[in-house]
Amino acid sequence: MKWGVDDGSRQERCAPYSANSGFYYVRGNERSKLLFRTMMYTGDLTMSIRSHQQVLIAMLAEHNSLSGLRVKVLNKDDNDFPGGYHYHMRGRDVMKGIVRGRIRPYIFHMSWTLNKDDKLKFMRQMGMWYVAEQCIGKDAADVVSRGRSDGKVADACCSAEPLFSCHYRDKPSIKSCAEAPPKDRGGASFW
């Protein structure tokens, strides 16, 4: 069995599941092993269409039919596992619910975002970022070899408190970023 978060996209290439491949749970069994073995063998397909998500969705449908793989995609209106669809498209209600503490997601996957730089800025602005600046883009061996942690990567890299910073006034934020520039031309303040 495999379950994932609804990506929010209803494009034909995401049919029939609209699953987001950035966050999912897979039960370890023979059907799941066959699915991921097939995924490994189709790496050329992933490279040619430049989307592991599209390939995974196609393989889910194929393996559901081929081996009886059970697939469940969580409802995109469920606030326990929000993502980029909620951040960018669904509007202020979900994001303000998170800011006010009425909605407490288990995990937030910043999908629907152009690049890693924007993902980092959006997560910092939402108070959902805990990785120290000196560790971003570094592997564990580099962090340890520079003597910043006495061999403990978590001590050098992980903050107990969110590492907040403002970047864009028109994107959701845990604190007001009204003085920051807009990300989108003409973007009104989230606050």
Side-chain angles (χ1 to χ4, degrees):
M1 174 188 227
K2 179 205 181 291
W3 65 260
V5 178
D6 189 318
D7 185 62
S9 177
R10 295 300 177 258
Q11 296 176 12
E12 185 177 343
R13 67 186 183 91
C14 296
Y17 296 115
S18 295
N20 186 294
S21 63
F23 174 73
Y24 52 87
Y25 168 82
V26 179
R27 182 175 292 160
N29 59 41
E30 293 306 313
R31 291 180 297 259
S32 296
K33 289 177 186 176
L34 178 61
L35 168 71
F36 284 102
R37 189 176 313 116
T38 305
M39 283 289 294
M40 286 181 17
Y41 293 154
T42 57
D44 58 331
L45 180 59
T46 302
M47 295 302 289
S48 69
I49 64 171
R50 300 176 57 132
S51 171
H52 65 279
Q53 181 167 317
Q54 192 171 338
V55 173
L56 180 61
I57 291 169
M59 293 293 155
L60 288 172
E62 182 176 320
H63 284 261
N64 172 261
S65 177
L66 178 70
S67 67
L69 178 74
R70 291 184 296 162
V71 177
K72 177 181 179 180
V73 177
L74 301 175
N75 186 329
K76 70 178 171 30
D77 295 324
D78 180 352
N79 294 327
D80 289 336
F81 299 94
Y85 168 76
H86 300 85
Y87 187 86
H88 297 290
M89 303 296 288
R90 186 151 167 229
R92 301 185 187 284
D93 292 341
V94 172
M95 299 313 298
K96 286 207 173 179
I98 291 171
V99 167
R100 293 181 180 132
R102 286 185 289 116
I103 297 173
R104 297 182 157 262
Y106 288 103
I107 192 166
F108 193 99
H109 175 57
M110 189 55 78
S111 54
W112 287 54
T113 303
L114 182 62
N115 57 54
K116 289 180 183 178
D117 291 336
D118 281 347
K119 288 181 183 199
L120 173 60
K121 289 175 183 175
F122 296 157
M123 294 298 278
R124 287 184 73 109
Q125 190 160 300
M126 278 302 296
M128 296 180 174
W129 190 258
Y130 295 83
V131 180
E133 194 71 36
Q134 73 266 15
C135 299
I136 297 172
K138 306 286 189 297
D139 62 33
D142 183 44
V143 172
V144 171
S145 71
R146 294 185 187 264
R148 294 183 220 158
S149 63
D150 296 328
K152 297 178 183 173
V153 175
D155 289 346
C157 296
C158 301
S159 172
E161 298 297 321
L163 301 173
F164 173 82
S165 57
C166 281
H167 299 280
Y168 306 112
R169 71 171 173 243
D170 57 339
K171 296 298 178 187
S173 57
I174 199 86
K175 299 176 188 174
S176 176
C177 291
E179 301 303 314
K183 170 74 173 160
D184 301 319
R185 190 167 30 148
S189 175
F190 173 74
W191 290 88

